[in-house]
Amino acid sequence: METILVAFGGRSVEHEVSIITGMQVMENMDKKYNAVPLYVTKEGKFLSGDVLKSMKTFKSGDFSGAYEVFLKPGDNRLYREAESKGGLFSKGGTTLEAFLTIDCVFPALHGTYGEDGCFQGYLETAGVPYVGCGVMSAAVGMDKVVMKKVFESEGIPMTPYLYFYRGDDEEAVMDRAEAMGYNLFVKPANLGSSIGISKVKNREELKEAIAVASHYDRKILIEKAVESPREINAAVLGYEHDLLVTELEEPVGWKEFLKYDEKYMAGGKSAKSSGSKGMAASNRNLPAQVSDDIKEQIQGYAKKAFRAIDGMGVARIDFLLDGETVYVNEINTLPGSVSFYLLEATGVSFKDEINKLIDLAKVRYQQRHDNITSYDTDLLTKTTYGAKL
């Protein structure tokens, strides 16, 4: 049986959302796999143990049944500390023991240090196959400014925007923003779940919104708002040219934008043991009621946006529909969006989605393994200390 390490939690303001995603993935993983939890604490420690498969552990905050684990570079085994007995001429102490071989990692880490390419880089260094976008794709998908620049280069339609860094001349920034005209959205460039986002209608609100967003990121995005748009979303599953685009959904009942509570607290009593269905519990029309022409445009742009960042696995692409005009709002790569409810509406079960994601992870791992990364050379024997290359 293959072992899949499901990583969740993390050093992010989306820590709790990530726990929900991790629980959902483990609950729905095919029984042919051995799903092993890897809980990343808010301090960055790695914990494992069967108690981390239960939401009760996180609600109680009692982690006494869990133990700290480690990954080592170039080694696909999981380590933990073990007591060692002293010998005739040595003292006892602790040592690292390898207790589990990992076949693949499923990152369910939302936000910073998990969804932004950092954790993916760690896994690349460790040499372990992992699900979802690679380092560059995850980083581009997470950074809303870089994402927009990539989309611009591909001719993907978006609303006007500007960006700046914390510490820039704020009055000059607000002058530039007002030149786009109110209403405006102010967002941290690298964050999800609607955290730190404000919609503003005047300079006073703009100043306050910038202060809020600056608490979460040093790079801030300001976008021209579309008045009374319809939000339409679609997910893409696959890799390279083999891509499946799902049915379209239209969240309903929101006014300005879907806030944190509306995304993750709507499950109520109907939620599964993980505590929430996340976006799946929101009110929506699925499929969205749009013309065939609009549907074709949106599905085409979804595929184009996914390929633009060299996407892998699954991502949800959010659109704004203003009359007959389509704008791409953002891309949410895994685990920002597992998008199981969109795939289920398209005929792909959550279990089959996870199977597909694990299979794709192995394909990419083999592709990278096939690349030449080193070769023998006598450069060092011909180089003396202090030589300049």
Side-chain angles (χ1 to χ4, degrees), residues 1 60 125 300:
M1 178 180 287
S60 68
T125 303

Short mmCIF file of all heavy atoms in Angstrom, two decimals, residues 1 60 125 300:
data_model
loop_
_atom_site.label_atom_id
_atom_site.label_comp_id
_atom_site.label_asym_id
_atom_site.label_seq_id
_atom_site.Cartn_x
_atom_site.Cartn_y
_atom_site.Cartn_z
N MET A 1 0.85 -1.20 0.00
CA MET A 1 0.00 0.00 0.00
C MET A 1 0.88 1.25 0.00
O MET A 1 1.82 1.36 0.79
CB MET A 1 -0.91 0.00 1.24
CG MET A 1 -1.79 1.22 1.36
SD MET A 1 -2.86 1.20 2.83
CE MET A 1 -4.07 -0.04 2.35
N SER A 60 -9.88 20.39 20.81
CA SER A 60 -9.46 20.34 22.22
C SER A 60 -8.10 20.98 22.44
O SER A 60 -7.77 21.43 23.53
CB SER A 60 -9.40 18.89 22.69
OG SER A 60 -8.34 18.19 22.04
N THR A 125 13.56 19.82 -2.76
CA THR A 125 14.88 19.58 -2.17
C THR A 125 14.95 18.20 -1.53
O THR A 125 15.96 17.51 -1.62
CB THR A 125 15.18 20.66 -1.11
OG1 THR A 125 15.09 21.94 -1.72
CG2 THR A 125 16.58 20.48 -0.53
N GLY A 300 -12.73 28.56 -22.00
CA GLY A 300 -11.50 28.78 -22.78
C GLY A 300 -10.47 29.57 -21.99
O GLY A 300 -9.28 29.23 -21.96
#
